[in-house]
Amino acid sequence: MLKAKQMTRTVVVGHKDVLDKTVEVLHDSNIFHIEDFNETDSSFKIGKPFENAGDVSKKLVKLRAISNFLGIKSKDIPKRNPEDLWRDLDNKLTNLENELNAKTEEKAKLEAKLKELESLQKELEPLAAIPVNLENYKGYENIAVFTGYVREDVRSAISAKTTDFELEYDAQNSIIALFVRKDKESAVAEILADYAFREIRVPASEGKPSEVISASEKEKDSINKEISSLEKAISSVKEKYADFILASDELLSIESQKSEAPLRMATSEHTFVIDGWVPEEEYSKLENIVNAATNGRVFVSKQEAEKKDEDKTPVEYENPKLTKPFELIMDLYARPKYKEIDPTLLIFFTFPLFYGMILGDIGYALVLLGVAFAVKKFVRFEAIKTLMNILIICQISTLFFGILYAEFFGFALASLHTDHGTVPGLIAGFETINLFASPIGNEMITYPLHRTHLAMTLIAFTTLIGVAHINFGYILGLININRAHGFKHAMLEKGSWLVIELGILAVVLGFLGYFPVIIGALIFLIGFIMLVKGEGIKGPIELPSLLSNSLSYTRLIAVGLSSIYIAFTVNLIAWQMIWPKGGIAAILAIIVFIFGHAVNTVLSIIAPGLHALRLQYVEFFTKFYEGGGRKYDPFGYIRKYTEE
C-alpha cells in the first residue's frame, strides 16, 4: 500500500536455437515486461521476426477488416481449443472471405444501380408534367429544342416571331419544351433570354418522363428488397462466424506478439539478450520456468537497478482489491513514479467522503445505487464496471451523509423548529434534536444536520477539512522528496510550508494574547527563507494559494446546497403549485417531479464527482504528487476465447 510493486531488473540470455522456446514460455508466463532494445552504440543488432510473422500479420489484418465490417462485438463464448482453431483457420477464413465478398459485391452493384435510378428520377422530375417522349427531345437536323425554366408563358412572344413551333408549357413549375426551326433558333433564344430561360438537361432515355419515373420507382422497390435480403444474408454470416472470428483474432494476436518478439531484443550471430523487468516476488518463478523449458540453456539473471533507472522502471499498483477501482482515477491523472507514494488508498477514502458530503441525500443515493448495479450487470466493458464500482462506493458514502442530513429527494425527513415557526418533516414524529451551539454564527448543531441552517458553521468546518487535507499533502510531499533527494531538500521544499503555517498560527495566537507576536513572526520568517531556498521565487508567488486552496474546500457545502435548492424547487413546483388542482395538473405534477429529479440525479453524478475530483487533483496532488510513471505491461496475453 502507498507504494508500487517492487520490480527486479532481469536479463535473459541464451543461444538462438532456443529463442522460440524462450519466447513461448515468457509469453505464457505473462509476468516479464520487455524493454525494447535500442541498437545505437551497441555491437548487438535488433532481432529478426520469426518466419511466420508475415503470414500471421496478413491473416490478422484480413480477419480484423472482416470483423470491423461485420461489427463483431466482444461477448462471452465457450473457449476454443487452439489446435482445432489452427487446423481449421485457413479454410474457414477463406470460406468466410468468399461468402462475404460474393454478398458485398452484389450488394455494391445493387446500391450503384439504386443511385443511378435516383439520379435519373431527380433529372426527370421537372419534366414529369410535359407529355413528350424523352427520345423526341434529340436527334433533329432542322429543329432546335429548348427545355428549361422560364419566368412565365412564352407562347405569345414566340408567336410574334414565328408560327412554326411546338410548345409544351408546365404552368405549375414554369417549364417549357419548345421545338422551333433551326433558322429561328437565334431569334427564339433572344426572346427566351428576356424570360430568364434556364436550361434543363434531358437524360438519355425513352418514354414519357412520368412513365419512366414510375418504372424507376418499381425497380427501386425491387432493388431495395434484394439489398434487404443480402443484408440478412450478411447478418447470417456474422452469426455463423462470430465465435470463430473472436477466437481466431485472439489466437492470431498471440501468435503475432510471439513472432514479432525478436524485434524487441538484442541479438548477435548466435545469441539473444532480452532486457526487462519482473515483479520481485515473481523472479524465482520466471527463472524456474525458463530453465525448465530450455533445459538450462538460457541464463536468467538479476541486474542491479541504478538510481537513473528509477524513472523508467515500470509501475504496477499494489493495492487491496477493494481500492482497485480507484486506480482508474489515478491513471486519469498520471500513474505514480516507481519510488513515489501511490495515493490510491488515500483517494479511496477521501473521494467518496467528499462526494458523499456534497450530495448527502438518501433518495438520490438509492437511485444511483440501483443504476450502478444495473449497469454493472448488463454492461460487459471492464472500464464501465470499474466506474460503476466507484459509483457504488460513492453512493454508500452519500447514503451515510443522507442519514446524517436526513434528506430524501430534497425533502427534510425531520421537523425543524425555527424562530419563524415549525417546518414539518417528511416523517411524522421525527423531531430535530438540538445538540450544542456552534462557536461560529451562533448556530445550533442538531441531529439531523440541516445544511441550509448551518451554512456558516459548515463553511468553517469544510475550510478546516481543506487545511488538514492540504497539510497532509505537504507531509506526503516531504516523504517523497526525502526518498528522492534527501531530508534537507524535503524540508526546504515541503517542510517550509508547514513552518510558514505554524508561524501564521503563532502570529494569530500572539494577537489573541497567548504569547508574543514576535515569536510567530520569527517562525514565519524562517519558513519564508526556507521556502525561497527550496523553491526559489516560485515559492513566495504561490504563498497566497494557501488561503485559496483552503477556501476551495467550501465547495463541499456550496455545491451540496445548490443540489438541495434544485430538488426543493422541483418539489415546490410539483406539490404546492400543481398538485392541489388535481386532474391533468396532477399528471403534470408527476411528470415535473420525475423529470426534475431525473435531471438532478444526472447532475448528482457530475457535479459532486467533478468537484470531489478537483479537490484531489488540484488542491491535494499539487502538494506532493508528480506522477508520470510507466505502466507495467508484461509480455503475454490474457485469454478470453481460447484455452491456455
Side-chain angles (χ1 to χ4, degrees):
M1 290 187 290
L2 296 181
K3 62 181 181 181
K5 193 173 280 189
Q6 294 301 296
M7 291 285 171
T8 299
R9 180 146 202 171
T10 305
V11 171
V12 180
V13 182
H15 195 278
K16 277 185 172 178
D17 288 348
V18 289
L19 176 58
D20 53 346
K21 289 182 181 175
T22 307
V23 168
E24 188 81 22
V25 73
L26 288 178
H27 192 276
D28 289 346
S29 69
N30 197 26
I31 56 176
F32 188 57
H33 176 107
I34 296 178
E35 287 288 346
D36 293 342
F37 172 64
N38 183 351
E39 66 180 14
T40 307
D41 301 327
S42 172
S43 57
F44 285 87
K45 299 292 180 187
I46 292 176
K48 295 179 180 176
F50 293 145
E51 286 183 4
N52 65 342
D55 183 50
V56 169
S57 178
K58 190 176 172 183
K59 288 174 183 171
L60 188 58
V61 169
K62 187 186 292 182
L63 191 73
R64 286 185 177 167
I66 293 172
S67 178
N68 287 335
F69 174 77
L70 292 176
I72 301 291
K73 302 290 184 189
S74 175
K75 63 177 182 176
D76 293 330
I77 61 170
K79 286 192 173 183
R80 299 291 189 90
N81 183 297
E83 292 180 4
D84 293 343
L85 268 178
W86 276 123
R87 189 174 56 247
D88 300 335
L89 182 65
D90 288 340
N91 286 338
K92 272 199 170 183
L93 189 54
T94 303
N95 291 340
L96 168 60
E97 190 179 21
N98 290 340
E99 282 186 46
L100 209 53
N101 282 346
K103 290 175 175 54
T104 52
E105 284 172 10
E106 191 177 348
K107 184 168 175 262
K109 286 179 184 173
L110 291 171
E111 287 172 338
K113 180 63 179 173
L114 199 61
K115 282 185 180 175
E116 282 180 19
L117 290 172
E118 287 171 349
S119 177
L120 178 63
Q121 278 187 323
K122 194 173 178 182
E123 288 181 319
L124 289 176
E125 277 168 3
L127 302 173
I130 296 179
V132 177
N133 284 1
L134 292 168
E135 63 270 24
N136 294 335
Y137 282 90
K138 297 176 182 174
Y140 302 109
E141 289 185 7
N142 301 313
I143 297 176
V145 182
F146 295 90
T147 313
Y149 294 95
V150 288
R151 190 172 56 238
E152 58 186 85
D153 193 353
V154 296
R155 184 177 297 277
S156 57
I158 300 295
S159 297
K161 197 72 178 177
T162 178
T163 56
D164 293 332
F165 71 93
E166 288 291 335
L167 174 67
E168 294 291 341
Y169 178 59
D170 175 7
Q172 186 175 357
N173 298 304
S174 296
I175 294 173
I176 60 165
L178 175 62
F179 300 80
V180 296
R181 286 173 49 185
K182 277 277 187 183
D183 57 347
K184 301 293 182 184
E185 182 178 6
S186 299
V188 168
E190 289 178 7
I191 295 170
L192 291 178
D194 293 337
Y195 284 80
F197 175 74
R198 184 157 48 90
E199 189 177 9
I200 296 172
R201 194 184 82 84
V202 179
S205 188
E206 293 182 351
K208 289 187 171 57
S210 58
E211 292 170 354
V212 175
I213 290 173
S214 177
S216 298
E217 199 60 43
K218 288 179 183 174
E219 192 174 355
K220 275 172 60 184
D221 289 344
S222 173
I223 290 174
N224 278 326
K225 285 177 184 173
E226 288 184 60
I227 290 175
S228 178
S229 174
L230 281 170
E231 286 174 345
K232 286 179 183 173
I234 291 172
S235 285
S236 299
V237 172
K238 177 182 175 181
E239 291 297 318
K240 181 180 174 183
Y241 287 97
D243 293 0
F244 164 76
I245 291 172
L246 288 171
S248 298
D249 188 309
E250 181 172 286
L251 192 72
L252 289 169
S253 297
I254 291 170
E255 198 57 30
S256 178
Q257 284 183 349
K258 291 177 185 176
S259 61
E260 293 178 3
L263 293 169
R264 308 178 65 186
M265 57 185 73
T267 59
S268 65
E269 187 177 353
H270 299 292
T271 60
F272 67 86
V273 181
I274 314 175
D275 188 11
W277 301 84
V278 65
E280 193 174 77
E281 63 203 23
E282 303 276 13
Y283 176 80
S284 297
K285 177 184 173 184
L286 180 75
E287 192 176 33
N288 291 336
I289 58 177
V290 171
N291 283 335
T294 60
N295 292 323
R297 297 178 64 192
V298 171
F299 184 62
V300 180
S301 66
K302 286 184 181 179
Q303 300 293 307
E304 192 67 34
E306 300 176 12
K307 187 81 175 173
K308 63 180 182 181
D309 293 332
E310 284 183 4
D311 282 347
K312 63 180 182 183
T313 305
V315 175
E316 172 70 345
Y317 290 110
E318 189 168 33
N319 292 302
K321 186 177 178 182
L322 189 61
T323 68
K324 285 281 180 191
F326 290 84
E327 291 171 357
L328 179 67
I329 291 179
M330 289 305 309
D331 283 337
L332 282 175
Y333 187 86
R335 186 166 285 231
K337 288 185 174 177
Y338 183 57
K339 288 293 183 183
E340 198 173 20
I341 288 175
D342 170 17
T344 305
L345 183 65
L346 308 175
I347 297 282
F348 168 74
F349 288 109
T350 53
F351 182 76
L353 176 70
F354 293 163
Y355 184 102
M357 284 181 73
I358 293 172
L359 186 53
D361 187 289
I362 297 171
Y364 293 129
L366 293 175
V367 169
L368 291 174
L369 267 177
V371 169
F373 278 115
V375 172
K376 255 191 84 173
K377 183 174 180 181
F378 294 109
V379 174
R380 298 177 186 280
F381 299 107
E382 283 304 316
I384 301 292
K385 288 186 176 183
T386 302
L387 276 176
M388 291 305 106
N389 285 332
I390 294 173
L391 188 60
I392 288 168
I393 294 170
C394 286
Q395 296 320 311
I396 292 170
S397 170
T398 303
L399 199 57
F400 170 79
F401 281 98
I403 294 169
L404 188 65
Y405 302 151
E407 291 174 13
F408 187 84
F409 288 121
F411 291 108
L413 295 180
S415 63
L416 176 65
H417 300 283
T418 68
D419 295 339
H420 306 289
T422 301
V423 180
L426 199 62
I427 300 177
F430 185 6
E431 299 285 343
T432 297
I433 303 168
N434 291 335
L435 297 175
F436 56 87
S438 166
I440 298 167
N442 199 27
E443 295 168 333
M444 179 58 68
I445 307 296
T446 61
Y447 177 75
L449 280 173
H450 293 280
R451 287 188 280 180
T452 51
H453 292 74
L454 287 169
M456 293 304 296
T457 302
L458 289 175
I459 285 172
F461 179 65
T462 50
T463 303
L464 288 176
I465 289 176
V467 171
H469 200 217
I470 288 168
N471 279 293
F472 186 46
Y474 282 130
I475 293 170
L476 295 177
L478 195 144
I479 296 170
N480 268 340
I481 296 177
N482 181 44
R483 285 179 181 172
H485 306 294
F487 185 72
K488 180 184 172 185
H489 282 88
M491 280 305 296
L492 290 177
E493 286 189 34
K494 300 298 175 186
S496 57
W497 289 93
L498 299 173
V499 175
I500 285 173
E501 288 185 65
L502 188 63
I504 294 171
L505 179 63
V507 168
V508 172
L509 292 175
F511 278 114
L512 294 175
Y514 288 94
F515 42 75
V517 174
I518 189 65
I519 295 177
L522 283 173
I523 297 173
F524 178 86
L525 185 60
I526 292 170
F528 187 83
I529 293 169
M530 289 170 65
L531 182 63
V532 172
K533 196 168 177 56
E535 297 197 13
I537 191 64
K538 188 182 81 172
I541 290 174
E542 290 184 354
L543 204 51
S545 68
L546 266 180
L547 179 63
S548 61
N549 284 172
S550 301
L551 291 177
S552 182
Y553 285 76
T554 57
R555 69 186 66 233
L556 293 173
I557 175 67
V559 179
L561 287 176
S562 69
S563 177
I564 292 175
Y565 285 120
I566 291 173
F568 176 78
T569 304
V570 170
N571 296 338
L572 188 68
I573 293 172
W575 301 107
Q576 292 186 5
M577 296 177 65
I578 301 175
W579 182 264
K581 297 178 182 175
I584 301 249
I587 296 171
L588 288 173
I590 294 170
I591 293 172
V592 168
F593 184 81
I594 293 173
F595 179 74
H597 283 294
V599 171
N600 206 22
T601 301
V602 174
L603 294 176
S604 298
I605 299 175
I606 298 170
L610 288 180
H611 286 285
L613 204 58
R614 181 232 149 87
L615 292 177
Q616 310 295 335
Y617 285 170
V618 179
E619 274 73 22
F620 186 50
F621 278 13
T622 51
K623 306 301 177 291
F624 71 98
Y625 192 68
E626 186 176 348
R630 295 171 63 212
K631 184 181 179 182
Y632 168 65
D633 184 18
F635 178 59
Y637 201 98
I638 299 174
R639 294 174 186 256
K640 288 176 65 180
Y641 307 116
T642 56
E643 297 170 355
E644 296 287 345

